[in-house]
Amino acid sequence: MQCVTSLTMSEPVPIEDISGVKSFDELVFERVLNDIPESRMIFCVCEVRDKPGKAVVQIIKQHMTESECKKLFTSQPASFQTLVHHNHKYYSFFSWCDPSLNQLTVKVIYPASDYDIKKYAPQDRAMVRETPEDYRNITMPYIETIPRSRIGWIDNILDGQAEADKILCQDEDPVTGFVVAPDTKWDGRTPESIYLLGIARARTIPTLRDLQPEHHAMLLKMRESTQAVLFEKFGVPADHIFGYVHYLPSFYHFHVHFVHIARPMASAAANHAIPLDDVIDNLARNPEYYREVSLTMVIGAENPLYERYGKKAPEPIVMPNTTDTPDANESPKPTHTASV
């Protein structure tokens, strides 16, 4: 097993070496796909100039580091442009600052398939209680229809064809081995926003339910090595890292998420994810545990499993018309003036 204890994020790849979309100038805005204010991100669908197909573009306001924050007060102080709120000693302003302090992270999927577009669109979701029989008869047959090419980026990492310089930990064993690398959600520099993916080397484990007895050792090694490298490099103790497994996962190759508990999404993830510690303990008590229990999962309406489990999207709620003219015999309602 190999762990990197002096992780440095790789140098940016020169734009001219990229074969895909290279700038906003190449994109023609079509529509907003999803807007998530609390995460400071927005998803758009765009056409690509002089090229076929469409692109999904994710735009994220980047986290500001301490050194960047200091620049606001030293190099070129930003002015408070617009007063938004004032009450007693509390003030809120809109402000413009040096463009170098207001960077965006832009992620592009091109060419984007219908699956990519649907994946990032808002959709109804429903909870399903899946039995082991349901998994064998409904879920697994669907998983088997998904082409491996959909997760070609996973194979590129496992085969050393992509992101080799970003790997933190890896074990080469074909059965119990794994790779741990930064997720694109992490900026690679802020400990409190750590987000890693631990990816099994075995390509025969679509989900949690397919873990075999020998994979217990894989999970132990993955947890311990990830905790060790994060403490060595960033000084983050093990009890500040939350490891968990999604069920259903977002893609069908077994993987573990490792996030700093300070991430805003960490507490939310705990509500619909299975902690890695629990997975390890359950497999230690019963190697067949996840093959024998029923599991609750959340399925989006754009997932083919939604219909396979008999779910139907609810009809839109029509709000009553509140602008109708009141009955002539009805007494007028009193008007209240708010105190200032």
Side-chain angles (χ1 to χ4, degrees):
M1 180 170 60
Q2 177 186 5
C3 288
V4 178
T5 56
S6 58
L7 172 67
T8 56
M9 299 304 288
S10 58
E11 293 297 320
V13 176
I15 292 294
E16 57 269 18
D17 292 346
I18 299 175
S19 60
V21 177
K22 302 177 183 179
S23 73
F24 281 109
D25 291 339
E26 298 181 43
L27 298 169
V28 180
F29 176 84
E30 182 178 293
R31 71 182 191 276
V32 169
L33 188 60
N34 202 352
D35 184 4
I36 311 175
E38 63 273 17
S39 298
R40 299 174 298 163
M41 70 174 65
I42 190 167
F43 293 85
C44 307
V45 177
C46 300
E47 295 182 352
V48 181
R49 297 184 191 277
D50 303 321
K51 292 183 180 179
K54 297 186 178 183
V56 172
V57 181
Q58 180 186 9
I59 304 172
I60 310 167
K61 286 277 191 178
Q62 189 165 309
H63 174 76
M64 181 175 289
T65 64
E66 181 178 349
S67 62
E68 291 169 339
C69 180
K70 288 180 179 178
K71 290 181 180 179
L72 289 173
F73 303 89
T74 56
S75 58
Q76 293 181 340
S79 61
F80 298 158
Q81 299 288 341
T82 306
L83 177 66
V84 178
H85 174 80
H86 174 216
N87 185 350
H88 191 45
K89 62 180 180 180
Y90 303 101
Y91 299 81
S92 296
F93 300 91
F94 282 131
S95 176
W96 299 100
C97 62
D98 188 300
S100 67
L101 302 178
N102 194 26
Q103 297 182 29
L104 300 173
T105 296
V106 182
K107 303 178 182 180
V108 180
I109 301 175
Y110 178 76
S113 65
D114 289 341
Y115 169 83
D116 295 320
I117 295 173
K118 290 178 180 179
K119 178 180 178 180
Y120 294 104
Q123 56 186 292
D124 180 65
R125 299 179 187 277
M127 296 181 66
V128 172
R129 187 66 172 169
E130 180 196 66
T131 66
E133 293 74 21
D134 290 335
Y135 182 72
R136 291 191 295 269
N137 298 327
I138 302 175
T139 306
M140 178 51 76
Y142 162 67
I143 294 174
E144 291 173 341
T145 68
I146 302 173
R148 181 75 191 183
S149 59
R150 185 176 291 179
I151 54 172
W153 63 277
I154 288 288
D155 290 333
N156 288 343
I157 293 174
L158 294 177
D159 296 336
Q161 297 177 3
E163 304 186 39
D165 55 344
K166 297 181 181 180
I167 292 174
L168 280 79
C169 297
Q170 61 179 324
D171 186 304
E172 300 287 351
D173 189 284
V175 177
T176 63
F178 56 87
V179 170
V180 178
D183 188 279
T184 56
K185 300 180 185 69
W186 183 33
D187 60 14
R189 58 183 181 174
T190 311
E192 292 77 16
S193 64
I194 284 172
Y195 198 132
L196 311 177
L197 279 185
I199 305 169
R201 283 205 176 275
R203 306 183 200 207
T204 56
I205 320 172
T207 77
L208 181 73
R209 286 196 180 275
D210 303 292
L211 291 170
Q212 301 286 342
E214 59 268 23
H215 296 134
H216 180 259
M218 174 189 72
L219 297 178
L220 283 172
K221 290 189 294 181
M222 185 188 295
R223 180 180 65 181
E224 293 170 2
S225 57
T226 301
Q227 292 173 346
V229 72
L230 289 177
F231 182 75
E232 176 70 20
K233 175 60 181 176
F234 295 100
V236 179
D239 60 3
H240 283 52
I241 298 297
F242 176 41
Y244 62 92
V245 179
H246 276 141
Y247 193 81
L248 287 169
S250 56
F251 58 90
Y252 295 101
H253 180 108
F254 183 78
H255 59 283
V256 180
H257 302 258
F258 293 96
V259 302
H260 196 291
I261 58 174
R263 280 187 69 96
M265 53 71 62
S267 59
N271 294 328
H272 63 274
I274 303 174
L276 177 60
D277 293 342
D278 291 354
V279 175
I280 291 173
D281 286 351
N282 289 334
L283 292 177
R285 291 183 175 88
N286 177 8
E288 300 292 325
Y289 181 84
Y290 289 103
R291 294 173 179 266
E292 298 176 352
V293 299
S294 294
L295 295 173
T296 299
M297 57 189 185
V298 177
I299 303 176
E302 297 295 345
N303 188 324
L305 286 173
Y306 190 86
E307 291 187 358
R308 295 192 184 204
Y309 276 96
K311 301 297 179 180
K312 294 183 179 180
E315 294 293 331
I317 298 176
V318 179
M319 300 301 293
N321 187 351
T322 59
T323 60
D324 292 342
T325 303
D327 189 283
N329 297 321
E330 183 180 350
S331 301
K333 294 182 174 61
T335 302
H336 298 279
T337 303
S339 300
V340 179

